[in-house]
Amino acid sequence: MVEDREVRGVVKKITVLGAGAWGTTLGKMLASKGHSVMLWDKEPAVVASINHHRESLTLPGVPLPVSLEATVSPQEAVTGADTIVSAMIAGQVRYLLEEAAAVWPREAWIISCTKGLEPESHLRMSAIFAEVLALPVSQLAALSGPNHAPEIAQGALASAVVAAPRRQVAEYFQELFMTPYYRLYTSPDIIGVELGGALKNVIAIAAGICDGLALGDNTKAALVTRGLAEMVRLAVKLGGEAPTFYGLSGVGDLMVTCTSKMSRNRGCGEELGRGRSYADILANQKSVIEGARTAIAVQQLAAKLKVEMPICATVYDILYDNQRPQDAIARLMGRMAKPEDSEQAARLWSLY
C-alpha cells in the first residue's frame, strides 16, 4: 500500500524530467509555490541558461525562481526525489528511465505530462514507467488538458485534469499543481486521459491539412467532430471511458490543438496541406511533432483491434506513404454512407 501524502506546509523535493517549454513552465510553477525543484534536460546549453541566467532557452523572457535548478545528469536529477514530473518528449522516456533505473527512488510518486504513444510498443507514457521500473500503478498519474506552456508561464488562466487509478494520488497532484491561474480536476481514468492527450495530436494534423488546403470552417468542424469519434472508439477498446473524452483531455485539448497557431501538430498539417512533404518539414523542424509519431502507433493499433479510424489512417498515408492531401481528402468524402453512430442507430431504429 502506498502511503498517503500531504502537500500543504511541506516542502517537496521535486524532479521535473524535460526542460522544454512545458517542463520549464511546470518547474517554475512548482518552485514558485516554495518547493525545491530539479529540472533535467539533455541539452547542456539549456541547463546552463537556467542555472546561470535564470531563464530557459526553451521559454525565453520568463524569469525563473532561484529554487529551480537544472542538471544534464538523469541520475542526479532523480536521486532523493519524492515526486517526479515527466514532461519529456515521448521518444526520450524509455531511454531516460533505463539510464536512471539503478538510482530511481522507489517510493516517489510520478505524474506523466507527456502527450504521446510509443510507436514501437504502442504504450502510454505511464505504462512505460510501470514496465521499465516495475512500479505499481498506485504510484502513477497523468496530467492532460488544453495547455499552451507560454501562456501558463505568463499566468494566463488554464485548466487540466489529473488522472490516477488511486484517488489519493490524483488528489495529491491536484493540490500540488493548483494555483490561482491553473485549475486542476481529477479523474480515475488514466487510460482515457492519456489517450485523449495523445490521439488529439493526430487529429490536429488533419485539421492543419484542412487549413493548408483552405477547405473552410465547415470542413474543419466536420473533420474534428468525426476525429473525436475515432478517438473514443479506439480508447474504449483500450480500456478508456467514453465520458472522459467530453472533458478537458478530450474535447478541451482537441479544440485548442486543432485551432491554435501555437500548435506544432496543426502547423505540421498546414504545411502538408500546402504541398510540403513530411520529410522536408521534419528536416527544418527543431521541435518534435508528437502527432506524427503517435500516428504510427494508432495505425497499428487500429488494425490490430479492428477499429475503424479513417481520418487517422489518412493522416498516416499523407505522412508516410506520400499521398497527396487532395486525393486523401477525396477518398474520405467518398466513403460509404452510414449513420453518425451505428450502435445508437441500431438500438433506436429497432424500436420501430
Side-chain angles (χ1 to χ4, degrees), residues 141-152:
L143 181 150
S144 191
N147 295 165
H148 283 319
E151 292 183 358
I152 296 174

Side-chain angles (χ1 to χ4, degrees), residues 199 227-237 240-243 245-246:
L199 299 178
L228 177 62
E230 292 189 16
M231 292 167 59
V232 173
R233 282 200 294 270
L234 182 62
V236 169
K237 277 280 190 178
E241 300 285 336
F245 286 79
Y246 306 111

Side-chain angles (χ1 to χ4, degrees), residues 115 143-148 159 193-201 204 224 231 245 247-260 263:
K115 299 174 181 179
L143 181 150
S144 191
N147 295 165
H148 283 319
S159 287
V193 164
E194 285 192 280
L195 288 174
L199 299 178
K200 58 88 185 179
N201 285 332
V224 172
M231 292 167 59
F245 286 79
L248 289 165
S249 69
V251 170
D253 208 356
L254 188 64
M255 286 176 61
V256 74
T257 312
C258 290
T259 60
S260 174
S263 167

Side-chain angles (χ1 to χ4, degrees), residues 158-341:
S159 287
V161 58
V162 173
R166 186 165 178 259
R167 178 177 177 177
Q168 290 86 342
V169 174
E171 292 178 346
Y172 169 81
F173 283 111
Q174 179 186 40
E175 186 175 354
L176 186 70
F177 283 108
M178 189 89 84
T179 74
Y181 59 89
Y182 193 49
R183 181 172 177 79
L184 278 296
Y185 294 83
T186 57
S187 168
D189 184 16
I190 191 170
I191 296 174
V193 164
E194 285 192 280
L195 288 174
L199 299 178
K200 58 88 185 179
N201 285 332
V202 183
I203 305 304
I205 293 176
I209 292 170
C210 287
D211 291 338
L213 291 170
L215 295 179
D217 294 340
N218 293 339
T219 304
K220 187 172 177 179
L223 181 141
V224 172
T225 304
R226 295 308 303 163
L228 177 62
E230 292 189 16
M231 292 167 59
V232 173
R233 282 200 294 270
L234 182 62
V236 169
K237 277 280 190 178
L238 291 169
E241 300 285 336
T244 299
F245 286 79
Y246 306 111
L248 289 165
S249 69
V251 170
D253 208 356
L254 188 64
M255 286 176 61
V256 74
T257 312
C258 290
T259 60
S260 174
K261 295 293 185 183
M262 298 175 67
S263 167
R264 291 192 298 271
N265 294 285
R266 193 212 59 81
C268 171
E270 186 171 2
E271 292 300 313
L272 291 168
R274 290 173 175 169
R276 290 182 66 189
S277 70
Y278 177 56
D280 181 45
I281 296 168
L282 198 60
N284 295 280
Q285 175 76 30
K286 293 182 180 179
S287 302
V288 172
I289 303 166
E290 290 286 13
R293 286 173 45 84
T294 299
I296 300 171
V298 171
Q299 179 81 345
Q300 295 169 354
L301 279 169
K304 177 182 177 181
L305 299 173
K306 296 181 171 53
V307 178
E308 189 178 20
M309 303 188 73
I311 294 172
C312 290
T314 297
V315 170
Y316 179 91
D317 289 343
I318 294 171
L319 286 168
Y320 299 109
D321 288 342
N322 296 316
Q323 295 288 311
R324 292 178 70 243
Q326 298 90 332
D327 298 337
I329 294 291
R331 282 199 305 276
L332 269 179
M333 293 300 292
R335 296 172 65 245
M336 183 183 299
K338 56 182 288 187
E340 184 175 39
D341 186 321

